[in-house]
Amino acid sequence: MTQFMDVHHNMKGITPEQLLAAHNADVAIQDDEKVQFKQAWADPVSGRAFCLSEGPSADAVRRIHERTGHPADEVHEVTVTV
């Protein structure tokens, strides 16, 4: 499976509890698209949140986020890791 890092730009003021709820919403339906959401990070000051996932395509990741009400502004394939 391919890894993806997605970015959300409009999450200013997000709390740890809200980030966890958003992550859990994605996890609850991730099997529908054969995606596995691994981790989420956020900066409540800038409003950016980041999610690391594995899946068949960037579109599959986008569809999950759209269905859970927090569409990703960017989805990047991760091709190099250390």
Side-chain angles (χ1 to χ4, degrees):
M1 284 287 184
T2 304
Q3 285 195 334
F4 297 94
M5 179 66 71
D6 61 71
V7 185
H8 305 260
H9 293 284
N10 298 310
M11 296 193 146
K12 213 169 252 226
I14 191 168
T15 66
E17 296 80 15
Q18 291 168 322
L19 180 63
L20 180 60
H23 177 72
N24 287 340
D26 293 332
V27 169
I29 63 168
Q30 68 185 6
D31 291 345
D32 293 355
E33 296 283 349
K34 297 181 176 61
V35 173
Q36 181 184 16
F37 286 93
K38 297 175 162 262
Q39 184 97 29
W41 302 266
D43 174 16
V45 175
S46 71
R48 283 186 295 256
F50 308 89
C51 302
L52 179 66
S53 62
E54 281 187 357
S57 68
D59 286 336
V61 172
R62 279 190 186 90
R63 285 191 293 269
I64 294 294
H65 282 313
E66 287 171 4
R67 288 177 53 200
T68 56
H70 48 272
D73 295 294
E74 305 170 37
V75 180
H76 303 277
E77 186 175 333
V78 178
T79 56
V80 177
T81 61
V82 293

XYZ file of all heavy atoms in Angstrom:
637
model
N 0.842 -1.190 0.000
C 0.000 0.000 0.000
C 0.882 1.245 0.000
O 1.958 1.267 0.558
C -0.882 0.027 1.248
C -2.047 -0.901 1.217
S -3.302 -0.312 0.097
C -4.532 -1.537 0.382
N 0.355 2.276 -0.574
C 1.051 3.553 -0.665
C 0.734 4.401 0.560
O -0.392 4.398 1.052
C 0.597 4.288 -1.941
O 0.826 3.432 -3.055
C 1.357 5.576 -2.136
N 1.727 5.160 1.033
C 1.499 6.081 2.142
C 1.151 7.461 1.611
O 1.654 7.885 0.568
C 2.739 6.192 3.031
C 2.941 5.005 3.913
C 3.934 5.299 5.020
O 4.814 6.153 4.892
N 3.801 4.587 6.113
N 0.299 8.162 2.376
C -0.124 9.512 2.025
C -0.063 10.404 3.253
O -0.347 9.963 4.370
C -1.561 9.512 1.479
C -1.708 8.727 0.216
C -2.098 7.400 0.250
C -1.426 9.307 -1.010
C -2.217 6.664 -0.916
C -1.538 8.578 -2.188
C -1.929 7.248 -2.138
N 0.308 11.666 3.037
C 0.222 12.703 4.063
C -0.761 13.727 3.536
O -0.569 14.270 2.443
C 1.580 13.354 4.306
C 1.567 14.454 5.344
S 1.207 13.912 7.020
C 2.718 13.024 7.411
N -1.825 13.950 4.299
C -2.762 14.976 3.853
C -2.740 16.146 4.814
O -2.309 16.035 5.958
C -4.170 14.407 3.651
C -4.784 13.829 4.896
O -5.143 14.614 5.785
O -4.929 12.602 4.969
N -3.174 17.286 4.288
C -3.126 18.549 5.025
C -4.511 19.183 5.004
O -5.161 19.246 3.966
C -2.105 19.527 4.390
C -1.973 20.784 5.233
C -0.751 18.856 4.184
N -4.914 19.646 6.165
C -6.162 20.408 6.325
C -5.754 21.812 6.775
O -4.971 21.949 7.713
C -7.046 19.764 7.397
C -7.330 18.319 7.147
N -8.510 17.889 6.599
C -6.579 17.216 7.368
C -8.476 16.564 6.497
N -7.317 16.140 6.957
N -6.283 22.845 6.138
C -5.873 24.220 6.431
C -6.842 24.990 7.321
O -6.495 26.065 7.789
C -5.702 25.010 5.127
C -4.563 24.531 4.297
N -3.246 24.806 4.592
C -4.539 23.765 3.169
C -2.465 24.243 3.692
N -3.225 23.609 2.817
N -8.031 24.494 7.543
C -9.056 25.284 8.228
C -9.448 24.697 9.575
O -10.629 24.562 9.875
C -10.292 25.420 7.322
C -9.953 26.153 6.047
O -9.361 27.221 6.089
N -10.299 25.571 4.912
N -8.469 24.381 10.401
C -8.771 23.780 11.700
C -8.227 24.631 12.845
O -7.771 24.122 13.859
C -8.239 22.354 11.750
C -8.920 21.452 10.749
S -8.593 19.735 11.052
C -10.137 19.014 10.547
N -8.317 25.943 12.668
C -7.844 26.879 13.694
C -8.584 26.611 15.007
O -9.799 26.441 15.014
C -8.096 28.312 13.240
C -7.053 29.288 13.728
C -7.186 30.621 13.040
C -6.037 30.741 12.116
N -5.293 31.896 12.048
N -7.822 26.535 16.078
C -8.409 26.335 17.396
C -8.751 24.894 17.734
O -9.338 24.631 18.783
N -8.397 23.953 16.868
C -8.729 22.553 17.125
C -8.088 22.089 18.438
O -6.947 22.406 18.738
C -8.320 21.650 15.946
C -8.921 20.246 16.126
C -6.808 21.612 15.770
C -8.814 19.369 14.894
N -8.854 21.356 19.213
C -8.372 20.817 20.486
C -7.911 19.376 20.276
O -8.288 18.739 19.269
C -9.481 20.828 21.541
O -10.514 19.915 21.130
C -10.052 22.228 21.741
N -7.142 18.843 21.211
C -6.762 17.429 21.104
C -7.983 16.511 21.024
O -7.984 15.543 20.272
C -5.951 17.177 22.381
C -5.377 18.507 22.734
C -6.457 19.497 22.345
N -9.022 16.845 21.760
C -10.238 16.022 21.745
C -10.925 16.069 20.378
O -11.418 15.047 19.886
C -11.210 16.483 22.843
C -10.690 16.298 24.256
C -9.711 17.378 24.723
O -9.619 18.461 24.084
O -9.014 17.131 25.721
N -10.949 17.240 19.765
C -11.553 17.369 18.436
C -10.731 16.644 17.373
O -11.294 16.023 16.472
C -11.709 18.840 18.062
C -12.748 19.567 18.887
C -12.690 21.062 18.702
O -11.611 21.646 18.586
N -13.857 21.700 18.677
N -9.412 16.727 17.492
C -8.545 16.005 16.548
C -8.757 14.509 16.686
O -8.875 13.798 15.686
C -7.074 16.375 16.777
C -6.068 15.697 15.849
C -6.302 16.096 14.394
C -4.645 16.036 16.277
N -8.834 14.021 17.911
C -9.073 12.597 18.139
C -10.431 12.179 17.583
O -10.553 11.132 16.948
C -8.979 12.267 19.626
C -9.219 10.812 19.996
C -8.205 9.889 19.312
C -9.167 10.640 21.510
N -11.441 13.000 17.777
C -12.772 12.683 17.250
C -12.762 12.615 15.725
O -13.369 11.712 15.125
C -13.794 13.708 17.739
N -12.068 13.553 15.082
C -11.971 13.541 13.619
C -11.223 12.299 13.146
O -11.645 11.633 12.188
C -11.276 14.810 13.127
N -10.130 11.980 13.813
C -9.348 10.784 13.465
C -10.210 9.528 13.641
O -10.244 8.657 12.759
C -8.097 10.715 14.333
C -7.271 9.498 14.115
N -6.513 9.306 12.985
C -7.098 8.389 14.886
C -5.893 8.128 13.063
N -6.234 7.564 14.200
N -10.914 9.441 14.754
C -11.758 8.264 15.008
C -12.891 8.139 13.996
O -13.276 7.028 13.625
C -12.305 8.299 16.433
C -11.242 7.980 17.465
O -10.208 7.391 17.155
N -11.488 8.372 18.703
N -13.409 9.266 13.523
C -14.454 9.229 12.491
C -13.897 8.637 11.199
O -14.569 7.833 10.527
C -15.008 10.629 12.250
N -12.665 9.017 10.856
C -12.022 8.448 9.668
C -11.797 6.947 9.841
O -12.094 6.157 8.943
C -10.674 9.131 9.405
C -10.805 10.586 9.005
O -11.843 10.958 8.429
O -9.852 11.340 9.265
N -11.274 6.572 10.998
C -10.980 5.152 11.274
C -12.254 4.308 11.212
O -12.230 3.176 10.729
C -10.269 5.010 12.641
C -10.195 3.558 13.075
C -8.869 5.620 12.579
N -13.364 4.866 11.666
C -14.621 4.115 11.707
C -15.085 3.658 10.333
O -15.757 2.628 10.216
C -15.707 4.963 12.371
N -14.719 4.402 9.267
C -15.184 4.028 7.927
C -14.038 3.750 6.960
O -14.261 3.552 5.769
C -16.131 5.099 7.342
C -15.424 6.441 7.145
C -17.378 5.241 8.208
C -16.217 7.445 6.322
N -12.807 3.709 7.451
C -11.650 3.557 6.574
C -11.685 2.281 5.750
O -11.193 2.248 4.626
C -10.347 3.647 7.374
C -10.113 2.501 8.322
C -8.877 2.690 9.185
O -8.223 3.731 9.166
N -8.550 1.659 9.948
N -12.271 1.225 6.276
C -12.308 -0.039 5.541
C -13.116 0.058 4.248
O -12.867 -0.698 3.306
C -12.879 -1.159 6.413
C -11.939 -1.545 7.545
O -10.748 -1.160 7.507
O -12.402 -2.226 8.481
N -14.062 1.000 4.193
C -14.877 1.173 2.983
C -14.014 1.480 1.763
O -14.388 1.149 0.638
C -15.880 2.314 3.163
C -16.948 2.003 4.191
O -16.993 0.869 4.708
O -17.743 2.922 4.486
N -12.874 2.142 1.984
C -11.982 2.536 0.889
C -10.631 1.819 0.953
O -9.704 2.186 0.238
C -11.756 4.050 0.906
C -13.007 4.867 0.651
C -13.414 4.916 -0.815
O -12.639 4.487 -1.692
O -14.537 5.391 -1.083
N -10.515 0.849 1.879
C -9.254 0.116 2.063
C -8.100 1.047 2.441
O -6.976 0.890 1.987
C -8.921 -0.715 0.836
C -9.951 -1.800 0.552
C -9.580 -2.607 -0.658
C -10.515 -3.752 -0.909
N -11.884 -3.449 -1.159
N -8.418 2.035 3.289
C -7.440 3.000 3.796
C -7.191 2.685 5.263
O -8.087 2.215 5.965
C -7.971 4.443 3.643
C -7.053 5.450 4.310
C -8.157 4.788 2.176
N -5.973 2.940 5.727
C -5.659 2.827 7.146
C -5.060 4.153 7.616
O -3.965 4.521 7.197
C -4.677 1.687 7.418
C -4.361 1.547 8.888
C -3.318 0.483 9.172
O -2.604 0.029 8.272
N -3.218 0.100 10.419
N -5.812 4.850 8.456
C -5.312 6.098 9.025
C -4.437 5.756 10.214
O -4.869 5.093 11.151
C -6.468 7.028 9.419
C -7.118 7.645 8.218
C -8.224 7.045 7.635
C -6.606 8.789 7.646
C -8.817 7.596 6.507
C -7.189 9.344 6.512
C -8.293 8.748 5.953
N -3.181 6.223 10.175
C -2.180 5.830 11.160
C -1.982 6.858 12.269
O -1.820 6.493 13.419
C -0.851 5.574 10.460
C -0.922 4.437 9.472
C 0.393 4.320 8.738
C 0.498 2.982 8.089
N 1.258 2.026 8.837
N -1.941 8.135 11.931
C -1.594 9.177 12.908
C -2.135 10.506 12.430
O -2.279 10.733 11.229
C -0.067 9.263 13.024
C 0.443 10.218 14.050
C 0.792 9.548 15.351
O 1.158 8.391 15.356
N 0.666 10.273 16.434
N -2.407 11.391 13.386
C -2.839 12.745 13.058
C -2.125 13.737 13.966
O -1.848 13.428 15.133
C -4.352 12.876 13.211
N -1.809 14.900 13.408
C -1.150 15.982 14.142
C -1.870 17.276 13.795
O -2.445 17.385 12.722
C 0.306 16.150 13.711
C 1.173 14.959 13.856
C 1.982 14.655 14.916
C 1.380 13.915 12.902
N 2.660 13.486 14.676
C 2.307 13.003 13.442
C 0.853 13.644 11.639
C 2.727 11.859 12.774
C 1.260 12.506 10.975
C 2.189 11.633 11.538
N -1.784 18.258 14.685
C -2.407 19.547 14.378
C -1.672 20.679 15.083
O -1.060 20.489 16.133
C -3.870 19.542 14.803
N -1.773 21.852 14.474
C -1.316 23.095 15.078
C -2.537 24.004 15.169
O -2.967 24.571 14.157
C -0.231 23.743 14.221
C 0.178 25.108 14.735
O -0.136 25.442 15.901
O 0.807 25.861 13.963
N -3.125 24.125 16.356
C -4.347 24.913 16.480
C -4.156 26.399 16.182
O -5.106 27.079 15.815
C -4.784 24.709 17.933
C -3.646 24.071 18.635
C -2.724 23.493 17.606
N -2.940 26.900 16.292
C -2.683 28.319 16.022
C -2.763 28.607 14.519
O -3.444 29.534 14.078
C -1.321 28.758 16.607
C -1.004 30.191 16.219
C -1.309 28.588 18.123
N -2.087 27.792 13.721
C -2.109 27.998 12.264
C -3.370 27.424 11.622
O -3.742 27.807 10.524
C -0.882 27.355 11.612
O -0.987 25.944 11.654
N -3.996 26.466 12.309
C -5.180 25.814 11.758
C -4.869 24.659 10.831
O -5.752 24.131 10.167
N -3.605 24.240 10.793
C -3.231 23.116 9.933
C -3.267 21.807 10.717
O -2.819 21.749 11.863
C -1.857 23.329 9.334
C -1.858 24.307 8.186
C -0.507 24.376 7.523
N 0.471 24.911 8.454
C 0.956 26.144 8.407
N 0.595 26.958 7.452
N 1.812 26.563 9.294
N -3.786 20.783 10.071
C -3.758 19.428 10.616
C -3.200 18.518 9.543
O -3.345 18.776 8.340
C -5.156 18.974 11.034
N -2.548 17.456 9.974
C -1.873 16.523 9.077
C -2.275 15.108 9.452
O -2.338 14.780 10.631
C -0.346 16.658 9.213
C 0.143 18.061 9.066
C 0.228 18.902 10.163
C 0.505 18.547 7.824
C 0.676 20.203 10.028
C 0.955 19.854 7.684
C 1.044 20.679 8.787
N -2.508 14.277 8.447
C -2.868 12.879 8.685
C -1.974 11.987 7.835
O -1.799 12.235 6.637
C -4.313 12.605 8.296
S -5.522 13.623 9.160
N -1.453 10.946 8.457
C -0.671 9.938 7.748
C -1.545 8.718 7.565
O -2.181 8.253 8.514
C 0.585 9.574 8.542
C 1.480 8.502 7.925
C 2.100 8.996 6.612
C 2.567 8.090 8.911
N -1.585 8.208 6.348
C -2.408 7.039 6.067
C -1.737 6.154 5.023
O -0.768 6.559 4.374
C -3.789 7.469 5.560
O -3.670 8.195 4.351
N -2.269 4.956 4.894
C -1.903 4.040 3.803
C -3.177 3.698 3.066
O -4.225 3.523 3.691
C -1.296 2.746 4.350
C 0.124 2.853 4.763
C 0.711 1.484 5.135
O -0.015 0.472 5.122
O 1.898 1.457 5.442
N -3.068 3.592 1.761
C -4.253 3.249 1.000
C -3.947 3.040 -0.464
O -2.805 3.194 -0.901
N -4.990 2.733 -1.218
C -4.797 2.455 -2.638
C -4.597 3.702 -3.494
O -4.011 3.620 -4.570
C -6.076 1.718 -3.033
C -7.100 2.198 -2.063
C -6.355 2.455 -0.783
N -5.100 4.867 -3.011
C -4.982 6.091 -3.823
C -5.264 7.323 -2.977
O -5.912 7.239 -1.923
C -5.971 6.063 -4.992
O -7.302 6.160 -4.508
N -4.805 8.467 -3.493
C -5.110 9.742 -2.845
C -6.619 10.000 -2.869
O -7.177 10.551 -1.921
C -4.363 10.879 -3.545
N -7.282 9.581 -3.926
C -8.728 9.771 -4.019
C -9.464 8.999 -2.931
O -10.458 9.489 -2.385
C -9.244 9.370 -5.395
C -8.896 10.388 -6.465
O -8.674 11.564 -6.119
O -8.843 10.005 -7.648
N -8.990 7.813 -2.593
C -9.616 7.034 -1.519
C -9.496 7.774 -0.189
O -10.457 7.850 0.584
C -8.974 5.654 -1.429
N -8.331 8.354 0.069
C -8.123 9.146 1.287
C -9.061 10.346 1.279
O -9.731 10.638 2.280
C -6.648 9.590 1.403
C -6.458 10.561 2.557
C -5.731 8.380 1.545
N -9.146 11.043 0.155
C -10.028 12.213 0.040
C -11.484 11.844 0.316
O -12.193 12.581 1.003
C -9.931 12.813 -1.364
C -8.765 13.691 -1.586
C -8.880 14.442 -2.931
N -7.669 15.170 -3.182
C -6.618 14.684 -3.832
N -6.644 13.467 -4.327
N -5.537 15.416 -3.993
N -11.922 10.722 -0.240
C -13.326 10.319 -0.065
C -13.659 10.081 1.400
O -14.736 10.488 1.875
C -13.633 9.086 -0.908
C -13.772 9.395 -2.387
C -14.336 8.221 -3.159
N -13.427 7.082 -3.202
C -12.515 6.877 -4.161
N -12.375 7.755 -5.152
N -11.749 5.799 -4.137
N -12.771 9.454 2.144
C -13.028 9.221 3.567
C -13.147 10.554 4.294
O -14.099 10.781 5.059
C -11.918 8.353 4.199
C -11.935 6.934 3.618
C -12.041 8.333 5.727
C -13.165 6.118 3.959
N -12.192 11.455 4.086
C -12.238 12.753 4.767
C -13.489 13.547 4.393
O -14.084 14.197 5.253
C -10.983 13.575 4.442
C -9.772 13.175 5.203
N -9.764 12.954 6.556
C -8.497 12.978 4.790
C -8.540 12.645 6.954
N -7.755 12.642 5.895
N -13.894 13.481 3.153
C -15.108 14.191 2.736
C -16.331 13.624 3.438
O -17.189 14.370 3.915
C -15.267 14.118 1.219
C -14.270 14.997 0.494
C -14.250 14.784 -1.015
O -15.077 14.000 -1.536
O -13.384 15.398 -1.665
N -16.410 12.317 3.519
C -17.564 11.675 4.161
C -17.643 11.978 5.647
O -18.742 12.012 6.207
C -17.521 10.165 3.937
C -17.832 9.765 2.516
C -17.718 8.277 2.301
N -18.503 7.509 3.251
C -18.292 6.222 3.525
N -17.316 5.563 2.908
N -19.042 5.586 4.384
N -16.505 12.192 6.288
C -16.520 12.461 7.727
C -16.590 13.952 8.041
O -16.555 14.349 9.208
C -15.305 11.827 8.429
O -14.096 12.278 7.822
C -15.378 10.307 8.375
N -16.672 14.794 7.010
C -16.938 16.203 7.216
C -15.730 17.102 7.375
O -15.874 18.272 7.725
N -14.547 16.575 7.112
C -13.350 17.426 7.164
C -12.467 17.122 5.950
O -11.465 16.434 6.052
C -12.590 17.266 8.490
C -12.365 15.854 8.903
N -13.275 15.132 9.648
C -11.343 15.016 8.677
C -12.807 13.919 9.846
N -11.647 13.818 9.263
N -12.883 17.655 4.781
C -12.136 17.384 3.556
C -10.691 17.874 3.627
O -10.413 18.905 4.246
C -12.902 18.135 2.473
C -13.961 18.908 3.139
C -14.014 18.526 4.581
N -9.803 17.111 3.035
C -8.385 17.484 2.985
C -8.169 18.519 1.888
O -8.723 18.409 0.796
C -7.526 16.251 2.720
N -7.363 19.525 2.204
C -7.008 20.539 1.208
C -5.910 20.042 0.281
O -5.823 20.480 -0.865
C -6.564 21.819 1.907
C -7.699 22.439 2.695
O -8.670 22.887 2.073
O -7.615 22.450 3.943
N -5.069 19.157 0.791
C -3.970 18.585 0.007
C -3.811 17.120 0.417
O -3.967 16.786 1.582
C -2.647 19.283 0.313
C -2.627 20.774 0.134
C -1.350 21.389 0.695
O -0.269 20.758 0.568
O -1.440 22.482 1.265
N -3.479 16.274 -0.548
C -3.098 14.884 -0.264
C -1.840 14.597 -1.063
O -1.830 14.745 -2.291
C -4.212 13.876 -0.645
C -3.768 12.453 -0.337
C -5.517 14.200 0.083
N -0.772 14.211 -0.358
C 0.526 13.980 -0.989
C 0.941 12.530 -0.825
O 0.884 11.988 0.289
C 1.593 14.872 -0.332
C 1.257 16.316 -0.389
N 1.519 17.078 -1.500
C 0.671 17.136 0.521
C 1.113 18.317 -1.263
N 0.593 18.368 -0.040
N 1.356 11.922 -1.902
C 1.923 10.579 -1.819
C 3.325 10.675 -1.197
O 4.116 11.550 -1.564
C 2.022 9.965 -3.224
C 2.461 8.532 -3.206
C 2.437 7.880 -4.579
O 1.633 8.324 -5.435
O 3.203 6.945 -4.772
N 3.605 9.807 -0.251
C 4.914 9.769 0.407
C 5.724 8.664 -0.268
O 5.403 7.484 -0.144
C 4.774 9.484 1.917
C 6.135 9.398 2.565
C 3.911 10.556 2.574
N 6.765 9.068 -0.983
C 7.528 8.085 -1.746
C 8.901 7.817 -1.161
O 9.544 6.823 -1.516
C 7.707 8.554 -3.211
O 8.318 9.834 -3.223
C 6.354 8.625 -3.914
N 9.363 8.681 -0.268
C 10.688 8.493 0.342
C 10.539 8.637 1.850
O 9.979 9.623 2.343
C 11.704 9.544 -0.172
C 13.046 9.378 0.523
C 11.853 9.443 -1.682
N 11.015 7.656 2.608
C 11.021 7.732 4.066
C 12.363 7.268 4.586
O 13.103 6.562 3.889
C 9.916 6.864 4.690
O 10.138 5.506 4.324
C 8.531 7.297 4.243
N 12.690 7.666 5.789
C 13.927 7.212 6.435
C 13.618 6.660 7.799
O 12.592 6.910 8.366
C 14.980 8.341 6.554
C 15.473 8.753 5.182
C 14.436 9.507 7.316
